[in-house]
Amino acid sequence: MLSAEHIVQILASGLLTGLIYALIAVGLSLIFGLMDVVNFAHGEFLMLAMYAMFGLVLATALDPILMVPIVTALLFVFGALAYLGIVRHAMRVKANIGMVQVFATFGLAIVIRGIAQLLFTPDYRSIQASWLGGKTVNLGGVFLPLPQLVGGLVSVAAFVGLWLLITRTDFGKALEATREDAGAVALVGIDKNRVFTLGWGLGAALVGLAGSILAIFYYIHPDVGGPFALTAYVVVALGGFGSVFGALFAGVIVGLVEAVTATLLPPALKSVGIYAVYMAVVFFRPRGLFGNL
C-alpha cells in the first residue's frame, strides 16, 4: 500500500519529467503548426544540443548552466540553416511533397546520427560536475533532484516567454498569421520564407534548451534522441498537432502517466502507459486535446 507521501513524491517527479517532455515537444509542434511538416530529425537536434553542451563544458571548464544560452543560440542557427538548406527545397517539389518532406528530415536524422557516431563513437558520456549535480531539494518532505527541478522551472519560463513572443511581438503576430494561412500572408507584406526560417530556428532553439538541461543529468550518446523523440510525438498527438500550448499540458500528462506506470509495473515497462494513452488518443480523439485537425 502506497503512503500519501509516496504518492505525492511520484506525482511531483512525474510533473518535473512532464515539463521537460513538454519543452522537448513544443518545437516539434510549433514547426508542424507552422508548415504541416513533421521534423523526423527532432531527436537528433536534441542529441546535438547535448553534445554541444558537453563540448563547451570540456572546452571552457565553466559550469553547464552558464552554457545553456550559448547552446540554445547554436541550435537556433542550426535549425534555421536546416530549413534554408534542406526543408525549403523539399517544399518546392511538384509531386509527392509530403513524402519528400518526410524523407528529407528522416535523411537529415540519419546523417546527423552517423556523423555523431563517427566523431564521438557510441560511448556513453556525461558531464561530471555542475553546480546542480548530486543535489536534492526537500519541499515539505518531497525530495526532488535539483537538476530536474531547475529543468522544470526553465520549461515553465520558456513557455511563458513563448506566450509573450506570440502575443506581444510583431514576429509572433506574423507567426500566427502564417500558421492560419501561409498563402495569404504575402498579401499583407509578410515574407513567408523569413517566418519559416525563424520558425525553424525557434523550434530548434527550444529543443536545444531542453537538450542543454538534459545534458546536466542524463547520459549523452548518439542514439539518445530516439526515445525522447518518440515521447515527443506522443505529446504532440495528445496535445493536438500544431497546438503549442497543448504540448505543455500533454507533456505534463505524459510525465504523470509514466511515473504512475513505473510504480505499478516493472521499470522496463514504464512506457506502456504512455503508448496506451497515445492509442486512446488515436482512436477517440485523433485531433488531440487542443488540436484543430
Side-chain angles (χ1 to χ4, degrees):
M1 188 70 178
L2 295 176
S3 65
E5 292 80 3
H6 194 186
I7 293 173
V8 173
Q9 180 75 56
I10 292 168
L11 294 179
S13 298
L15 174 63
L16 295 183
T17 301
L19 288 171
I20 294 175
Y21 285 159
L23 186 58
I24 295 171
V26 66
L28 188 67
S29 188
L30 176 70
I31 291 172
F32 183 88
L34 184 63
M35 302 170 59
D36 286 337
V37 172
V38 177
N39 178 17
F40 284 95
H42 195 71
E44 282 61 37
F45 281 23
L46 180 74
M47 177 263 289
L48 281 179
M50 295 177 75
Y51 270 113
M53 173 62 82
F54 181 77
L56 285 170
V57 170
L58 283 183
T60 64
L62 296 175
D63 191 85
I65 287 295
L66 301 176
M67 299 293 104
V68 170
I70 298 175
V71 174
T72 303
L74 288 174
L75 264 290
F76 178 91
V77 173
F78 184 82
L81 291 177
Y83 169 75
L84 292 173
I86 297 174
V87 180
R88 179 179 58 168
H89 302 291
M91 295 181 64
R92 292 177 176 175
V93 299
K94 302 300 182 183
N96 296 323
I97 184 171
M99 293 302 297
V100 171
Q101 292 168 358
V102 167
F103 286 120
T105 57
F106 188 70
L108 176 61
I110 293 174
V111 170
I112 293 173
R113 192 180 306 178
I115 292 174
Q117 290 175 343
L118 176 65
L119 295 179
F120 309 121
T121 75
D123 294 343
Y124 282 51
R125 305 171 190 274
S126 63
I127 294 175
Q128 298 299 319
S130 74
W131 294 337
L132 306 179
K135 299 177 181 178
T136 59
V137 176
N138 183 358
L139 298 177
V142 177
F143 294 90
L144 301 175
L146 186 57
Q148 285 90 327
L149 179 59
V150 171
L153 294 175
V154 168
S155 179
V156 172
F159 273 93
V160 171
L162 188 59
W163 177 76
L164 292 174
L165 177 70
I166 291 174
T167 60
R168 304 292 176 86
T169 68
D170 290 338
F171 169 68
K173 295 174 182 177
L175 187 68
E176 284 298 288
T178 306
R179 281 161 57 91
E180 290 294 327
D181 193 338
V185 292
L187 300 176
V188 293
I190 296 175
D191 185 344
K192 181 176 67 174
N193 274 322
R194 181 173 179 271
V195 173
F196 284 168
T197 302
L198 294 176
W200 265 77
L202 179 59
L206 290 166
V207 76
L209 178 60
S212 62
I213 296 296
L214 270 177
I216 298 175
F217 60 88
Y218 203 86
Y219 286 110
I220 306 165
H221 57 96
D223 296 321
V224 67
F228 286 107
L230 286 175
T231 302
Y233 297 140
V234 174
V235 170
V236 170
L238 178 60
F241 288 94
S243 175
V244 171
F245 296 101
L248 173 60
F249 296 101
V252 170
I253 291 171
V254 167
L256 292 173
V257 168
E258 182 184 65
V260 172
T261 304
T263 302
L264 301 178
L265 299 177
L269 300 178
K270 69 177 184 178
S271 297
V272 168
I274 296 175
Y275 296 117
V277 170
Y278 175 73
M279 293 300 295
V281 170
V282 169
F283 281 110
F284 299 109
R285 194 176 176 85
R287 68 186 181 91
L289 297 176
F290 301 92
N292 297 315
L293 293 181

